[in-house]
C-alpha cells in the first residue's frame, strides 16, 4: 500500500520506468532497487504505469503485478499513483481495481488513444468512467501520444467532479499550462503538475505545484532540489539546477535521433547506474553497445556516474 | 472455422462491425444475423476486429468470444481474417492464438499505436512478431489511427517473409497505393487491398485486388458488384456503382460533424436495417434519436431502406 | 495572348516550370523551347505560375514578364491559365491585371498561405477578391503548401459565382475529389482537374475532367495519351500508361529524400532533355552532379532519354 | 532612423501592428500615435513587419512606406527591427534595402513559407541571403506560420555568422528555448527573445533576454514592468504581472474561436484605446460590432480601459 492522499499533492512524483527481464516478465529485484533509489531522493509520490513506464505496451497481468509489488515496497512512505489509460474501458477498470486493492493513492487517466473523439465525446467518456472508479483520479493531458487534448474548458468541467484531484500536463504547451493556473487560481487544492522535466522549474516558479520528471529515475534528488528551490522562490538556485536538467535532456536523452530516444536513453541510464536492466517492451528496443557507451560518456559529462 | 486461404485473396472482405449489447457483452443473435447478411452479399472473406470493428476498445475476452463465434458461424464458406493490432505484444499473441484455435484463415496487423517509432524500429517489431505468429498475416497501413506509416520500403522488406500474404492500405493516399501496385507488379500472389470504400473502384481498376469496405455491413452486394465491375473492366457499370458508394459516404456517414461520424453512422445504419443494435464501445456513443432519424432519412434517399 | 475559354476546359493543362537564368532572370530562349515542347505534346492548355512554376518564390516583375512572354509565345493555340495566389491581395491583383493585359484565358487562385483562416474567413476572402478580378478563375485546393482546405461546402458556394469556372485539386485526397464529382454531377460545365499526375487517370476514369500534370514538362504526350485513354474508357491502355506515370514518379522524382525532390527532379529532367537549365529560385537548389547523373540514369530506365 | 544597436539587445521589443486605412493605405496619423504610445511604455526597441504586423499580407510599397515613416518617427530613441521574411528572395532584399536606407537597426528573418525545405536547404538559404544583407539580422523561428523549424543545430551554425545577432523564438516550445539558452550560455552577446507574450516571464527568469510581446501594442508598460521584474529576479512581482498577461491572453484574445482571434482581438483592442483603426489586410477581417463590444467588456474587466 502507498500513503493515502490527505493533503493536496505537491512536488516531484516521478513517472517510474518499468524494470523488465523479458517481454512479459517483471524484474522484481530491479524494481525493489529502483523504488528505494527513487524514494531516497526525497520524492513526494510515485507514478507508475505512465508513458515513461511503457504502460500501453505491457500486459494487464504484468501491470497488476507491478501495482501490487510497488505498493507493497513503497508502503506508507509516499502516495502511489497508477496510470489506467487504456483503449478499452474494461482494461482501465481492471487496472483501477488492482490499484484500489493494492491501496494505491490515486489513478491517472488520459483519453483513450486510437479513435478520434471530440471534446464533447471526451467529456462523456471521462464522466462515465470516473463515476465508476474506486479511487480519486488525476487527469492526464498527453496529446503527443493520445492525440487528444483535454481543453481548458473540459478540464474546468471535469475538475468539478469530487473525484478529480488535479491534472498532469504533458502537452509541452506552457500557454495551456498558464491557462490552467489561471483557471484554478482560487482552488489551491486542485493539483497542477507538469510532465516534461525541462518545464518543471518554470511551471513551479509561476504557480504550478510540481512535476512528474522522468529523470528522477536516474537522479531523483536533482529534481526534488530544483522543485524546492523553485517553490521557495530561490531563483538563482533554481536556475543552476535547471541548467543541469537541460544538460541531461540535451545529451543523455538525445543519443539517437529517433523519437524514442528519450525513453531508451532514460532506461539505459538507470541501467548504467546498476539499478535494473534496460530491457524494453515492443516496439522499443534497448540501445546497442555503441549507443550505450555514448549514453555512459554523456552521463559522465553530466556528473551522473563516475568516469 | 473459416475457409483456408488456398489462393491469393481477391475481392471484397468487409471489416465487420462488432454487435454489442453492452460495454463488454457481445450480441450473439445480432452477430449471427450480421454474418448471414454479409455473406449473403457474395463477399470473398470477412475481416473482424479492425478499426470498424472497434477492436482497440474491446476486452480481450470479448475479442476471443467474437473470433470463436464468428469462425463457427462462417464455417468454411469464406476465409475469416482477424485483426491482432495491439499496443501490447502479448495482447497481439493472445488474439492470434485464439484466431488459430478457431481456424481463422489469416491475421491482420498494424503497428502498435501509442509510442512513436522509426521505420527501422517498426521493421524489427514486425519481423520479431511475425516470426511467432501461428497464422499468415496481412499488413495493415493505417496512419490515421496508428500514426505510423508502413513505408513502401518497409512493405517491400516485410513482403519477403513467407507469412506475409498482402497489405491493406487505409492511408487514403492513392499515390502510395499506386507505388505498392508498382512494387508488387511481378508478384500477383501478394494481395493489395484498399481500406476506404470510396477508393475501392479506382484501386481495382488500376491494379489493386479488392477492398475492405465498411459499407458492406449495410449492403454487401453493392460493394461486391462494384468490385466485380471494376475487376471485369466494365467502366460504365463501375462508375454507376461508384456514384452510389459516394452518395452513401457523403450522406449516411456525415450526419454528425465529428470524426467518429463514419463509425456511428455505419453502426446506426446496420441497426436501422434490423440486423443488430447500435451500442458502441467507449469512447464512441451511438447516435441519439434526432441523428438516428436523419440517418434513416438519408438511407431512404440512398435506397438502402424503404421509406 | 492565349486562346479564350469558349467551352469548358477538358484534358491536360501542364503546370509549367519557370525557366530561369538566375535568381531574378527569366530564360527567354529556354521558355520558348519549353512552350513549343509542351504544346507539341497536344496539351489542352498551359498553366503558368503554379507551385511547379515556383511562383511564390518569384518577384512580381519576373512573374509579369513570364506572363507576357508566355501568352505571346502560345498565341491562340491553347488557353493560358495564370496563378495569382499570393499572401498580399494587391500582389494577386497586380498579377491578375498583367494576365488580363496579356490576354490569358483565366486565373488560378489558392488561399493566401501565411495566416490561419477559417472556412468562413476564406469564403469572404474569395468572394471579395473574385469580385474584382478581370478574368474568370479556377479555384486551387492545395492544402499541402497553403495549409488551407477549400472544403466541399466552400467549393459549392464559390462555384455559384459566374466567374468561377472550375477547381484544381492538389489535396491528394481522392475521397474529397469524388465528393466534388458528386457535388457537380449536374454541372458538366464546371471543370474538375486533379493536380498530382499520379492521380489523373483514376480521376478521369471516374468523372473528373483532366489534370495539371507536372511531368508534362518532360514528356507531354504521355499524359495527353493517358488522359485520352481514360476519357475514352480504354482501360487497358490507361493502365499501361499509368504504369509509366508511376514509374517516373517513383524514380525520377525520388532521387533525393527531401520533400523538394519532386520539383528538383522535374526541372533537372527537363534540363537533361536540353530544353532549359535547372536553375531554381530560393530556397530550392538544383541538384549537384551526382544527383543529376542519377536522374539521368532513371530517365534512361524510364525511356525518357536515350542512354 | 532608429537607434543603432551598440550593445546586445535586451528587454521588450514589441511587434508593432500595422495601422491601416484600407487594403493598401497606411494610417499615418494612427501610426504616429501608436509609435508614441508604445515608446511611452519604456520599450527597448520596436519590431515592425512581423506576423503581428500582418507583413506577408502587405504590398512592398506599403511595407517600404511603413519602414520609412516608422524610422523617422522613432528617431534615435530605440532600435527599429524590420521583418524581411518573404517567399521571394528579391522581395526580402527590397525590404532589407529600404530598412537600411531608413537607418533601421537590424532585420528579422524567418524561413520562406510556401515550399518545404530540409534543414540542409534552409542552411544554404540563410547563408546565401544573410551574406547579401545590408544590416545585421535576428533569426526568427516561427514554425506555426512558416512550417519550418530552425533547429538548434541550424541556429548554432548560423550564429557563427557575424551578422547574426540573435534569435526570436515563436515556436511555443519552451524546451527548444531552453536548449537555445544552453547552446548560447557562453555567448551573452547573442540575444534570445521569445515571441509569445505568455512565455516572456519564464523565458527571462531562466536565462532569456526579453520578448516581442504583441500585447505591448495595447499596454506596453505591463510587459516592460514584467520583463524588468523577471530580469531583476523579483519573482513575486513577476508572478503578479504574469497573471495580468495571462488574463489578457485568455480573454481579450479569445473572443472568437478562430485561430485569427489573437490578431483581430489585439488590433481591436488598440483601436478601442483610440490609437488607430482596426482595418485588417486580407484574409483577416476586423471584428463586427458584437465581437468588438465583447472585446471592450473584456478590456474593462482586465483594467485596460475604463468602463
Amino acid at each position: 500500500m502507498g500513503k493515502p492522499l490527505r493533503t493536496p499533492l505537491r512536488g516531484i512524483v516521478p513517472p517510474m520506468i518499468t524494470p523488465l527481464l523479458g517481454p512479459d516478465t517483471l524484474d522484481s529485484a530491479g524494481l525493489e532497487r529502483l523504488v528505494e533509489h527513487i524514494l531516497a531522493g526525497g520524492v513526494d509520490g510515485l507514478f507508475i504505469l505512465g508513458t515513461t513506464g511503457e504502460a500501453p505496451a505491457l500486459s494487464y497481468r504484468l501491470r497488476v503485478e507491478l501495482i501490487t509489488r510497488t505498493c507493497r515496497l513503497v508502503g506508507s512512505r509516499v502516495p502511489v499513483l497508477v496510470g489506467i489509460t487504456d483503449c478499452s474501458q474494461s482494461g482501465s477498470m481492471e487496472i483501477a481495481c488492482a490499484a484500489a486493492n493494492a491501496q494505491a493513492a490515486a489513478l491517472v487517466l488520459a483519453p483513450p488513444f486510437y479513435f478520434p473523439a471530440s471534446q464533447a465525446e471526451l467529456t462523456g467518456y471521462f464522466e462515465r468512467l470516473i463515476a465508476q472508479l474506486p479511487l480519486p483520479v488525476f487527469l492526464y493531458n498527453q496529446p503527443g501520444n493520445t492525440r487528444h487534448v483535454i481543453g481548458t474548458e473540459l478540464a474546468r468541467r471535469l475538475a468539478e467532479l469530487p473525484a478529480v484531484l488535479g491534472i498532469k500536463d504533458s502537452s509541452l504547451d506552457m500557454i495551456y499550462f498558464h491557462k490552467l493556473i489561471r483557471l484554478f487560481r482560487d482552488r489551491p487544492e486542485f493539483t497542477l503538475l507538469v510532465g516534461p522535466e525541462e518545464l518543471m522549474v518554470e511551471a513551479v516558479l509561476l504557480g504550478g505545484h510540481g512535476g512528474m520528471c522522468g529523470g528522477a529515475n536516474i537522479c531523483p534528488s536533482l529534481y526534488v532540489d530544483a522543485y524546492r528551490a523553485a517553490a521557495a522562490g530561490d531563483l538563482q538556485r533554481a536556475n543552476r539546477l535547471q541548467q543541469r536538467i537541460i544538460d541531461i535532456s540535451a545529451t543523455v536523452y538525445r543519443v539517437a535521433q529517433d523519437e524514442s530516444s528519450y525513453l531508451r536513453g532514460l532506461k539505459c541510464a538507470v541501467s548504467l547506474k546498476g539499478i535494473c536492466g534496460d530491457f524494453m517492451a515492443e516496439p522499443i528496443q534497448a540501445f546497442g553497445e555503441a549507443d550505450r557507451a555514448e549514453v555512459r560518456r554523456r552521463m559522465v559529462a553530466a556528473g551522473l556516474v563516475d568516469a
Side-chain angles (χ1 to χ4, degrees), chain A:
Chain A
M1 58 163 249
K3 186 180 181 179
L5 266 174
R6 294 242 172 69
T7 54
L9 190 61
R10 294 289 185 270
I12 299 301
V13 184
M16 195 177 74
I17 61 169
T18 302
L20 296 173
L21 291 176
D24 197 28
T25 313
L26 198 61
D27 173 3
S28 332
L31 174 64
E32 184 166 351
R33 283 189 298 270
L34 180 60
V35 165
E36 294 310 319
H37 171 66
I38 294 174
L39 264 58
V43 301
D44 304 283
L46 194 62
F47 169 40
I48 60 175
L49 293 174
T51 303
T52 300
E54 301 172 79
L58 305 176
S59 72
Y60 295 136
R61 190 206 58 71
L62 192 142
R63 291 193 232 177
V64 171
E65 183 186 350
L66 177 73
I67 293 166
T68 311
R69 285 186 187 273
T70 306
C71 286
R72 201 179 306 141
L73 289 166
V74 171
S76 61
R77 291 183 284 178
V78 298
V80 176
L81 278 60
V82 177
I84 62 166
T85 306
D86 204 280
C87 286
S88 143
Q89 182 164 331
S90 66
S92 290
M93 281 306 298
E94 183 176 338
I95 302 305
C97 291
N101 288 340
Q103 293 181 272
L107 309 170
V108 179
L109 177 61
F113 44 90
Y114 188 81
F115 294 105
S118 64
Q119 291 289 295
E121 288 171 315
L122 288 184
T123 304
Y125 169 79
F126 276 115
E127 289 181 346
R128 288 183 298 267
L129 179 50
I130 290 171
Q132 302 172 51
L133 293 177
L135 286 174
V137 66
F138 290 84
L139 306 174
Y140 184 7
N141 188 39
Q142 166 60 293
N145 288 325
T146 69
R147 277 169 309 152
H148 297 293
V149 172
I150 299 178
T152 50
E153 177 51 28
L154 175 51
R156 193 199 56 71
R157 179 163 170 175
L158 295 177
E160 290 173 1
L161 303 173
V164 177
L165 302 182
I167 184 166
K168 172 192 180 182
D169 174 36
S170 291
S171 68
L172 303 170
D173 177 354
M174 285 308 289
I175 299 182
Y176 170 86
F177 194 78
H178 292 309
K179 290 189 174 164
L180 289 183
I181 292 173
R182 177 178 181 271
L183 207 55
F184 297 106
R185 215 173 260 165
D186 302 323
R187 287 195 47 193
E189 82 287 0
F190 193 80
T191 300
L192 304 178
L193 302 175
V194 78
E197 63 202 65
E198 298 89 345
L199 305 173
M200 185 270 291
V201 165
E202 66 209 88
V204 172
L205 285 173
L206 294 176
H209 301 131
M212 287 178 158
C213 305
N217 285 279
I218 313 174
C219 49
S221 60
L222 168 59
Y223 303 88
V224 169
D225 290 351
Y227 165 75
R228 288 179 186 165
D234 183 345
L235 193 54
Q236 206 175 348
R237 184 165 166 75
N239 253 304
R240 208 165 51 239
L241 296 164
Q242 166 79 353
Q243 281 199 14
R244 291 200 56 209
I245 291 172
I246 300 298
D247 281 346
I248 293 170
S249 169
T251 59
V252 176
Y253 301 160
R254 303 307 318 153
V255 165
Q257 295 308 310
D258 304 327
E259 284 188 74
S260 58
S261 185
Y262 157 69
L263 278 178
R264 299 162 89 194
L266 175 62
K267 209 162 190 175
C268 180
V270 175
S271 131
L272 285 163
K273 288 190 76 94
I275 296 168
C276 63
D278 63 353
F279 190 94
M280 304 198 76
E282 295 277 4
I284 306 175
Q285 290 284 302
F287 279 137
E289 272 318 303
D291 287 333
R292 190 173 165 86
E294 182 60 27
V295 171
R296 196 176 193 294
R297 271 189 294 276
R298 296 183 180 194
M299 289 180 74
V300 171
L304 294 172
V305 288
D306 295 334

